Amino acid sequence: MATGTETKYAMNGDLSVAYRTFGDGPHDFLFIGNWFTNVEVLPEVPHVAEWIDGAATMGRVIVFDQLGSGASDPITLDTPPSLEQWTDSARVVLDDVKSEGAVLIALDGAFSTAAIFAATYPARTAGLISMGGYARARKADDYPIGMPNDEAQSVIDLIAGLWGNGEVQHVLNPDFRWNEDLRVIWARAERLAASPSVVRRMLQLTMDLDVRHVLPLIRVPTLILQHVDNPFLRDAGKYLAEHIPGAKYVGLPGRNFYPVGQDSIEEIREFLTGERSAPNDERVLATVLFTDIVDSTKRASELGDRDWRHLLDAHDAVVRAQLSRFRGREVKTVGDGFLATFDGPQRAIRCALAIRDAVQPLDINVRAGLHTGECELRGDDIGGIAVHIGARVSALAGSGEVLVSSTVRDLVVGSGLSFEDRGTRELKGVPGMWNLYAVAA
């Protein structure tokens, strides 16, 4: 078994993320597990331990527990972590181990986190490997390969009901070499990872994740591994490969949910030996925020040039303070408003709400619009269709309103934010119809 370091902690805000490292070598592998791991015991479970040993022959393997599981800080069932917070955990762990870039290896539902990271931080993503991953779990009109709602609920009930006795792993991975000793080891790993109530709550949350719109924005080398006869995943892996530019799909024989056998190690080894160009970090996934002052022309006329200038200066100072607070990047001022970008949609929304509230003592109202998509970095400026969409969304916002696209809403599942449907709208100069939502706060 590869020798691992003692568990250490990286700080995601004021929350502790537990991690360990195994091996050393030319590559860094960041193993992004699902929400039910424990770095103290999972690397000792047969099959998982063998897989880590194999990966550690190629480089340093970094494993961590997502917030809410294992040795990382716990959650409350009322306020679970968000996708953005999970992505931040991956980033702070890489920072803590002083890794400039790593190959992301994502297990099943954790693919959502890895996809967001790869599209947002391409320069820090040497590659992306999906291990039984999927972009969406539930069936939809435009995603027939997902699970129908009744089946999804049955899966949740099955996993939560069996959690803690090791039998759920037998159901999910029937091709493992099963015996009573292995069941006992898995049972202990489950109990130390999460309680049945947390498992149920997290499964309900993650069943609603949907990162299909992010797939075309992933431009790092990508390998999709999936056991072809797994009854839960169906063609989820093929869907990923069809929608991620240049991705390679490998269907492995077998029924297991987790492709942690020697065959997956060999596929990863081959994946790493080919030459590949450096990722283009001039095109990244970002959340675009536009703000502007409502009825600014009228207020300027009422106040006169000098007082209006003083008011604008005060407004700008307030906005910049909130951008700094929520890790936003000011791109430029646009008339009497701002264009800014964020590496996470939840931060962007909360920043917009904070700006709206903070300028009210100045006796002005602002409106804001947000969209998440691919942006072109042009020096200090940005461009691309995502910027145009953000501007159009902002133009439709009412006084004091924070209006977002459906893309933004879908990416903040589990954040505690709520939304009011503003209907389907046409955005000038942008193809198609767009569902818009106002943040309810």
Side-chain angles (χ1 to χ4, degrees):
M1 179 182 294
T3 302
T5 62
E6 276 192 323
T7 297
K8 299 180 180 179
Y9 291 95
M11 298 307 297
N12 185 350
D14 59 355
L15 299 174
S16 300
V17 181
Y19 72 88
R20 295 174 69 188
T21 64
F22 297 81
D24 196 9
H27 303 285
D28 275 346
F29 300 98
L30 182 65
F31 183 77
I32 304 179
N34 56 28
W35 304 269
F36 316 120
T37 64
N38 186 306
V39 295
E40 292 286 323
V41 294
L42 186 64
E44 300 171 3
V45 174
H47 304 108
V48 177
E50 294 169 9
W51 185 90
I52 291 178
D53 282 348
T57 64
M58 296 179 278
R60 178 173 59 165
V61 181
I62 307 155
V63 298
F64 70 98
D65 292 334
Q66 284 288 12
L67 294 172
S69 66
S72 291
D73 270 342
I75 63 168
T76 67
L77 297 183
D78 294 332
T79 57
S82 64
L83 180 57
E84 181 175 316
Q85 207 169 24
W86 285 322
T87 305
D88 281 344
S89 292
R91 178 180 55 79
V92 299
V93 168
L94 285 183
D95 289 344
D96 215 59
V97 299
K98 297 179 172 54
S99 175
E100 295 183 359
V103 177
L104 308 181
I105 301 179
L107 196 64
D108 56 78
F111 178 82
S112 297
T113 298
I116 295 294
F117 189 100
T120 305
Y121 306 109
R124 299 196 68 177
T125 307
L128 173 61
I129 300 173
S130 167
M131 305 267 286
Y134 49 86
R136 177 188 171 100
R138 294 185 188 272
K139 183 178 181 179
D141 291 342
D142 55 350
Y143 192 71
I145 63 175
M147 289 184 286
N149 286 334
D150 56 348
E151 182 180 340
Q153 187 58 52
S154 295
V155 170
I156 293 173
D157 293 340
L158 171 70
I159 294 175
L162 294 176
W163 193 259
N165 64 19
E167 288 297 336
V168 67
Q169 301 300 333
H170 197 176
V171 173
L172 295 177
N173 300 287
D175 293 337
F176 282 167
R177 300 182 299 274
W178 282 100
N179 55 41
E180 180 62 12
D181 290 340
L182 181 59
R183 184 198 67 78
V184 170
I185 293 171
W186 268 112
R188 180 170 179 265
E190 290 171 10
R191 293 192 297 268
L192 292 177
S195 69
S197 295
V198 169
V199 168
R200 181 178 295 277
R201 179 68 182 90
M202 298 294 273
L203 285 173
Q204 290 169 338
L205 170 64
T206 56
M207 283 287 186
D208 291 329
L209 294 178
D210 186 345
V211 294
R212 287 178 294 163
H213 55 280
V214 176
L215 303 184
L217 310 183
I218 297 173
R219 289 187 170 82
V220 300
T222 302
L223 173 65
I224 311 297
L225 301 176
Q226 178 182 316
H227 286 293
V228 294
D229 294 323
N230 180 271
F232 300 100
L233 294 172
R234 300 181 175 90
D235 289 327
K238 291 181 179 179
Y239 182 93
L240 295 180
E242 290 168 358
H243 291 81
I244 298 174
K248 178 184 178 181
Y249 170 81
V250 176
L252 302 172
R255 301 169 292 166
N256 284 350
F257 205 84
Y258 300 155
V260 290
Q262 184 61 32
D263 51 0
S264 70
I265 290 294
E266 294 308 316
E267 291 294 342
I268 292 171
R269 195 183 305 279
E270 181 179 341
F271 174 68
L272 294 173
T273 57
E275 293 190 12
R276 50 182 68 91
S277 59
N280 179 7
D281 59 353
E282 294 181 354
R283 301 177 70 88
V284 301
L285 180 72
T287 299
V288 178
L289 166 66
F290 279 90
T291 70
D292 68 76
I293 299 174
V294 177
D295 292 331
S296 57
T297 302
K298 179 181 177 183
R299 288 301 306 279
S301 176
E302 293 172 348
L303 292 174
D305 290 343
R306 185 182 65 177
D307 288 345
W308 174 243
R309 184 68 260 169
H310 289 329
L311 183 60
L312 274 184
D313 289 343
H315 161 269
D316 292 355
V318 167
V319 173
R320 290 187 172 112
Q322 298 305 322
L323 289 176
S324 176
R325 175 186 170 195
F326 290 94
R327 219 168 73 205
R329 182 179 79 88
E330 176 185 343
V331 177
K332 58 186 175 183
T333 56
V334 184
D336 50 29
F338 277 75
L339 166 59
T341 61
F342 296 78
D343 59 3
Q346 182 181 338
R347 273 188 294 276
I349 292 174
R350 297 198 185 281
C351 183
L353 293 172
I355 290 171
R356 180 199 63 186
D357 296 342
V359 301
Q360 288 180 354
L362 301 176
D363 195 28
I364 56 177
N365 290 313
V366 299
R367 58 182 177 178
L370 299 100
H371 176 65
T372 301
E374 185 178 54
C375 296
E376 301 173 21
L377 304 183
R378 302 172 178 172
D380 292 333
D381 202 357
I382 61 172
I385 188 64
V387 180
H388 295 294
I389 294 172
R392 298 295 182 258
V393 172
S394 177
L396 294 173
S399 178
E401 190 171 60
V402 176
L403 197 64
V404 307
S405 67
S406 57
T407 304
V408 173
R409 186 205 59 167
D410 291 345
L411 288 175
V412 296
V413 169
S415 66
L417 294 163
S418 57
F419 300 87
E420 298 173 357
D421 193 342
R422 289 291 186 263
T424 302
R425 305 291 294 272
E426 184 175 356
L427 304 182
K428 184 179 179 181
V430 180
M433 302 297 291
W434 291 78
N435 294 323
L436 303 182
Y437 299 85
V439 181

